[in-house]
Structures are given as structure tokens and as C-alpha cells.
Amino acid sequence: MNKITQTWLGAYIDSVNKVLSECEYLRYTDCYRDKVIEAEKYSVSAGGKRIRPVLCMAFYDLFGGREDISEIASCLELMHTFSLIHDDMPEMDNDSLRRGKPSTHAAYGADVALLAGDGLSILPFQIISENALAGKIDLKTAAKLTQVLSEAAGHRGMIMGQMMDIYSEGRANEVSVEFLTEMSRLKTGCLLRASCLFGSILAGADDSRLDNAAEYADNLGLAFQIVDDVLDVTGDEKLLGKPTGSDLERNKPTFADILGIDKAKKLAASYTRRAISAISLYQGSEFLSELALGLVDRKI
Amino acid sequence: MNKITQTWLGAYIDSVNKVLSECEYLRYTDCYRDKVIEAEKYSVSAGGKRIRPVLCMAFYDLFGGREDISEIASCLELMHTFSLIHDDMPEMDNDSLRRGKPSTHAAYGADVALLAGDGLSILPFQIISENALAGKIDLKTAAKLTQVLSEAAGHRGMIMGQMMDIYSEGRANEVSVEFLTEMSRLKTGCLLRASCLFGSILAGADDSRLDNAAEYADNLGLAFQIVDDVLDVTGDEKLLGKPTGSDLERNKPTFADILGIDKAKKLAASYTRRAISAISLYQGSEFLSELALGLVDRKI
């Protein structure tokens, strides 16, 4: 990733982090009533690459947007954080560490974590609708964003991907690359696609631009997941902030497992090329190209 | 409840049940991928009084609405069902029975139940936004409904009520009537209020009508919760479909406990009177008055 891309990326991340840390919606006091909001804030503040809001803002800029959309962009991080909290729960992956810190249920108990995930799944819709009613975004845009986000995160999107993930556990030897591809499209791809569409919709992009954004997102999502699987085998535990080999231990099928590390890396590179070519016709697409390349080369 | 009210109520319930049973959003196949949707449908179909959609439709009719709003009204039942599924989970109330049938986690496992609740918390926003984008409701109405529902169900509404409920467990001797009133306002009151506001907003009601609807809802909600507490002590297990005395067993504070059965019943009656007087100036309010009286006299 070159210097300009890094600076640009840093600016995006800073503006999302600022919104998330100052967000009125996540303000809490010491009162027990606010414990769920405190747990939400804990989880949202635990770091992370902020890739979803970054994609939203980058597509907004690519397609000529001129306003500050970081609050709307942060909705994608809130929805993502909801999925992480519930995914870590004892009845799901039962992970007690996330990004090197106790996961939400380990820090606050499973009951509070359950409610914190619930709160974060609903909050984005409140933020979008209140922005619309305050005249900050127009009403049709708000309806589109609500539709895109609810479909992407819902039971035929991200949640269906989680269901496939549950099903796949203990079936490492039974499932195919096609199964993994579909699971990845749903589990991580849908929300990445929503992120790219968010920025495009906010910028008033036409259908062909929306198609290109979706094409970039779909390919990036697959590359991203494959790299994730590879890192679970080859990654540095200290950098990742969680133990490696967890997929293997649970007998969960992964791209690395089925294809082998080398082939998996090649497949990720091929999806990345496709992602880049989907947007290469647009002036100013270098940031998104570099971002895609950076995500394949990442160590965490 | 008189014959006319019963017939009217039956017609409302039938139309909600028809929407819920035929709902495309809840259609599933035998495939493992659809297991979450199957669990959602199981839970939504388990019966219940459909009080929230009924309130929505009744206020819509009271304020002069003329269309079929049962699909939008059903969103309130979906959101309510989400809260029931998660409330029954092992880390929350750990109830294995709901309305005489295995609760969702008992029937489908805690992992699928977690995801089913998640799916139902997001689905209402998809239905509202898709209705708006299809031109069935206008865009401003959709934004208002989304705002009202997300705030009511969110971490300063229903979810905060659940947090108070967690906190209250084991503290039966410490908490006051004021605490219980606030907990009830949040835990059940917020969504009842949203239900009454939904119908009013859909009918294009002005602010003073919205205030009256909210006043009716707030008082009805308190009456409803107090009766619930009384039934947990005096109710018929067979009719209720769950064991009585569960609040006592968990050392959970209730209105029945703190006030005694007689005083609690009187308090419920007083809130019911206030609910009725909030809407008595409107022609056609008899149904909502009778409904309020019926809810206080209910056996389940």
C-alpha cells in the first residue's frame, strides 16, 4: 500500500473512530440500566479495521459525494459489531478472546452480551431514520439504505451465512469449495456489499455504478474470507490477538483446508484482480484498488 | 368484552395471522440454510394474543385509516417475537416452555434460536422499507415508523427494560414500585406505545392524537404488566401454558409481590381507567376501551 493510500485510509478510519467514540447513541453512565450500552461501546471500541465504513466512504468519494457521511458509514460498523458479539457467544463459536481482549460475553456475561448484540442490530436503523427525519439525508435514500442493510444483515444474508457456519462445524470433510464460497458470500460478503452500496447510494450513483460497486464488493469479500482462513493457519497469534488453528480444532471447513495454502492464496489473488477490474474504469479508483491489494497482503 | 368487540377483535387477529402465515419473508424449505427462518416461523406461529398488531390496526381505524395495513402491523408481532425468543434463552430466563410448547431454543437449539431472534429484530425494518420503496406507504411515514420502532425496541427502550429485568433478579426485597413501573414502561410499555403510534402515524394523525395514543398505550402497558404479575401467582397453568410461580422462584420482584394481589389488581384497574379516558373523546373508541377492560380481566 503506497503512502497516499495509507494517509487516505488513516483519514477515513480516524473519522469513523471519532464518530464512534463521540456518538450520542452510545453514551452511557455508571447506572446498571446503561450496562448494555456500555458493553456495546466496549465492543465497538475494541479496534478492528473499520473496513466496512471505509468502503462506504471510499465509494461515496469515488462517485462524487461531497458531504460528511461518517455517521451513516458507522452504521455498518455497528451492524458488523453486532454479528461479532453474537458470533463469539457460548452457543456459537464460544470465543473468549476478540482482538486480544476478552470478548463481550467474557467481559460482561452472556446475558448482557446477548442484549448488546440486539441493541447494535437495531441501532443502525434508528440512526438512518433520524438522519432522514432531520433532513440530513433524503427520505428515499434512507428507505434504500434501510432496505439494503436489513436485507444484507438479515436471515437471507449474513444470518443465513451464520446458519451455514453452524451447519459446517464438524463437517470439514464433507463440504465443497462451492459451499464455502456461498457461505462466505452470505456471512461476510453481504455486509461488505451493503457497505459499498451505501456509499454509492448516498452519492446518488446510477444502476451501472451500483452494479460495479457490488461486483467489487463480492470479489473483495471472497478474497477477504480466503485470506482470513489462511491467516487462521499461518498467522501470528500476537498480531491477530487470538489463537490460530481454531477452525481446524473445531473441524470447521476452510478454503485453506480444502485447497491448501498455496492454491488458496492464488484464488484470493484472482478474486482481488476481479474486484479491481470492476472499478478500474473510474477516475480515482486507485484507493479502492490499493485497498483490495492491501487486504490480500494483510497480516491481521 | 361484548359481542361486537369480540367479533372486531377476531377479525383483526385473523388478518394478522393470515399475513404471518402467508408471509413471503418467512417462507422456508427443508434445507439446513433455512433453519433459522423455520425457527422464526415456529415461534411466530406459536400463538399469542397479537395484541400489538391489534392495537396498531385499532388506532389506524380510530383515526380514519382506510387501507389494509396488516403487513405493517405484523412487524410489531415480529419484533415482539424476537424479544420472547431471546428472553427465553438459557442465559436469560432459561424458560423451556412458551405458550405450552417448547420455547424456540428448546426446539431448535440455542444457536439457531439466537439467530432466529436476530433475524426477527431486523426483518421489520426490511418490510417497512420495501413497502415504502414499492410505494405502498409514503417515504416520510416509513422513516417515522422506522424511527419509532427502532427507538422503542432499542437499548434505551425494550432492551433497557430487559437489562433492568436482569438486574432485578435476586433483588425481590430491594426494589420499589417506582423501579417496577420504570422497568415495565421500558420492557413492555415501549413496544405497546410503538404499536399504538404505528396505527396513528399510518392514519396521518396530528400531534394531539399521537399524544392521546401514547397516553392510552402507556397506561395500558402498566395495567397489562401488573395483570401479568398477578397471573404468575394466581393463574391457571394449563390456560397459561407455562408454570406459575416462576417469578417467585427466581426471586424476581413483581407488582403482586410488593403490593399484594388485591392492591395490584386495584392499581391495574386504575391504569386501565386512565388508558380509557385518554381516548374516550374520539368517536369509535369503544373497541379500544373494551379491549383495555378485557386485558385486565384476562385469564391468560
Side-chain angles (χ1 to χ4, degrees):
Chain A
M1 205 178 277
N2 68 34
K3 273 264 160 85
I4 297 172
T5 306
Q6 273 181 7
T7 309
W8 202 342
L9 178 60
Y12 282 144
I13 293 175
D14 286 350
S15 75
V16 179
N17 283 341
K18 190 164 185 298
V19 165
L20 289 172
S21 76
E22 293 174 1
C23 179
E24 278 300 321
Y25 294 99
L26 294 177
R27 199 172 293 280
Y28 64 91
T29 69
D30 256 351
C31 176
Y32 63 88
R33 286 167 40 135
D34 285 3
K35 197 53 83 180
V36 171
I37 304 173
E38 184 186 328
E40 291 172 1
K41 184 85 181 230
Y42 169 84
S43 190
V44 166
S45 310
K49 294 175 282 291
R50 311 299 191 204
I51 181 70
R52 291 157 191 80
V54 166
L55 286 170
C56 169
M57 291 189 282
F59 269 97
Y60 181 73
D61 288 344
L62 180 68
F63 293 146
R66 291 283 176 272
E67 317 266 323
D68 174 12
I69 57 152
S70 42
E71 188 174 26
I72 299 286
S74 75
C75 289
L76 296 153
E77 192 69 15
L78 299 175
M79 191 60 90
H80 173 57
T81 308
F82 137 66
S83 77
L84 298 182
I85 295 175
H86 281 187
D87 201 27
D88 284 341
M89 293 274 285
E91 56 267 47
M92 300 289 286
D93 283 355
N94 196 20
D95 274 323
S96 54
L97 276 182
R98 163 77 60 185
R99 296 165 184 158
K101 292 174 64 179
S103 53
T104 311
H105 70 90
Y108 287 91
D111 46 4
V112 176
L114 176 69
L115 295 176
D118 291 346
L120 289 174
S121 77
I122 292 170
L123 186 55
F125 302 110
Q126 187 179 352
I127 295 176
I128 293 168
S129 60
E130 293 186 356
N131 268 274
L133 292 170
K136 292 183 198 165
I137 56 174
D138 78 57
L139 293 163
K140 182 140 196 189
T141 300
K144 282 185 190 166
L145 298 179
T146 303
Q147 195 283 326
V148 163
L149 184 59
S150 58
E151 187 178 26
H155 61 200
R156 296 193 206 278
M158 186 171 74
I159 291 172
M160 185 176 271
Q162 295 278 21
M163 184 64 232
M164 290 182 79
D165 194 51
I166 292 174
Y167 173 85
S168 77
E169 202 165 331
R171 289 189 165 88
N173 300 321
E174 293 171 40
V175 309
S176 60
V177 171
E178 289 69 32
F179 176 97
L180 285 182
T181 304
E182 181 63 11
M183 182 169 92
S184 163
R185 269 190 204 287
L186 291 165
K187 203 183 147 185
T188 51
C190 281
L191 199 57
L192 290 170
R193 177 192 260 251
S195 304
C196 298
L197 290 178
F198 255 50
S200 309
I201 290 167
L202 284 161
D206 61 16
D207 283 352
S208 104
R209 289 180 171 206
L210 293 178
D211 287 347
N212 292 141
E215 175 81 7
Y216 172 89
D218 291 349
N219 285 292
L220 183 78
L222 285 165
F224 193 78
Q225 184 59 53
I226 297 168
V227 172
D228 231 36
D229 286 357
V230 169
L231 284 173
D232 190 63
V233 180
T234 66
D236 182 324
E237 295 197 356
K238 272 193 198 154
L239 285 174
L240 288 169
K242 62 179 181 184
T244 55
S246 61
D247 293 331
L248 201 66
E249 207 171 284
R250 286 195 197 102
N251 194 18
K252 270 197 181 182
T254 70
F255 285 103
D257 209 26
I258 295 190
L259 296 171
I261 300 291
D262 279 355
K263 267 197 174 171
K265 281 184 172 175
K266 276 182 191 152
L267 187 60
S270 142
Y271 279 123
T272 304
R273 278 194 301 276
R274 279 192 248 175
I276 291 171
S277 86
I279 46 136
S280 57
L281 72 159
Y282 299 107
Q283 210 179 1
S285 65
E286 296 76 15
F287 174 80
L288 284 161
S289 305
E290 289 264 337
L291 186 70
L293 290 169
L295 286 171
V296 186
D297 272 339
R298 74 198 152 96
K299 299 285 173 281
I300 58 169
Chain B
M1 207 178 275
N2 69 33
K3 273 267 159 82
I4 297 171
T5 307
Q6 274 182 7
T7 308
W8 202 342
L9 178 60
Y12 281 143
I13 293 176
D14 286 349
S15 74
V16 179
N17 283 341
K18 189 163 185 297
V19 165
L20 290 172
S21 75
E22 293 173 2
C23 179
E24 278 300 322
Y25 294 99
L26 293 177
R27 199 171 292 281
Y28 64 90
T29 69
D30 255 351
C31 177
Y32 64 88
R33 288 167 38 135
D34 286 3
K35 196 55 83 181
V36 171
I37 303 173
E38 183 185 328
E40 290 172 1
K41 184 83 180 233
Y42 169 84
S43 189
V44 165
S45 310
K49 296 175 281 289
R50 310 300 191 203
I51 181 70
R52 290 156 192 82
V54 166
L55 286 170
C56 170
M57 293 190 282
F59 269 97
Y60 181 71
D61 289 344
L62 180 69
F63 292 146
R66 291 281 177 273
E67 317 266 323
D68 174 11
I69 57 152
S70 42
E71 189 175 26
I72 299 287
S74 75
C75 290
L76 296 152
E77 191 69 15
L78 299 175
M79 192 59 92
H80 173 56
T81 308
F82 136 67
S83 76
L84 298 182
I85 295 175
H86 281 187
D87 201 26
D88 284 341
M89 294 273 286
E91 57 266 49
M92 300 289 286
D93 283 355
N94 197 20
D95 274 323
S96 54
L97 276 181
R98 164 74 62 183
R99 296 165 184 158
K101 292 173 65 178
S103 54
T104 310
H105 70 90
Y108 288 90
D111 47 4
V112 176
L114 176 70
L115 295 176
D118 291 345
L120 289 174
S121 77
I122 292 169
L123 186 54
F125 302 110
Q126 188 179 351
I127 296 177
I128 292 168
S129 60
E130 293 187 355
N131 268 274
L133 292 170
K136 292 184 197 166
I137 57 174
D138 77 56
L139 292 163
K140 182 141 197 188
T141 300
K144 283 185 190 168
L145 298 179
T146 302
Q147 196 283 326
V148 164
L149 184 59
S150 57
E151 186 178 28
H155 61 200
R156 295 192 207 277
M158 187 171 74
I159 290 172
M160 185 176 271
Q162 295 279 20
M163 183 64 232
M164 289 181 79
D165 193 52
I166 290 173
Y167 174 84
S168 77
E169 204 165 329
R171 289 187 164 88
N173 300 322
E174 293 171 39
V175 309
S176 61
V177 172
E178 288 70 33
F179 176 98
L180 285 181
T181 304
E182 181 63 10
M183 181 169 93
S184 163
R185 269 191 203 286
L186 291 165
K187 202 182 147 184
T188 51
C190 281
L191 200 55
L192 291 170
R193 177 193 259 251
S195 305
C196 298
L197 291 178
F198 255 51
S200 309
I201 290 167
L202 284 160
D206 61 15
D207 283 351
S208 104
R209 289 181 172 205
L210 292 177
D211 287 347
N212 291 142
E215 175 80 7
Y216 172 89
D218 291 348
N219 286 292
L220 183 78
L222 285 166
F224 192 78
Q225 183 59 53
I226 296 168
V227 172
D228 231 36
D229 286 358
V230 169
L231 285 173
D232 190 62
V233 180
T234 66
D236 182 323
E237 296 198 354
K238 273 194 195 151
L239 284 174
L240 289 168
K242 63 179 179 184
T244 55
S246 61
D247 293 330
L248 201 65
E249 207 170 286
R250 283 193 200 106
N251 194 18
K252 269 197 180 181
T254 70
F255 285 104
D257 209 26
I258 295 189
L259 295 171
I261 299 291
D262 278 355
K263 266 196 174 172
K265 281 184 173 175
K266 276 181 191 152
L267 187 59
S270 141
Y271 280 123
T272 304
R273 278 193 302 275
R274 278 193 249 175
I276 291 171
S277 87
I279 46 134
S280 57
L281 72 159
Y282 299 108
Q283 210 180 1
S285 66
E286 296 77 15
F287 174 80
L288 284 161
S289 304
E290 288 263 338
L291 186 70
L293 291 169
L295 286 171
V296 187
D297 272 339
R298 74 199 151 95
K299 300 283 172 282
I300 59 170

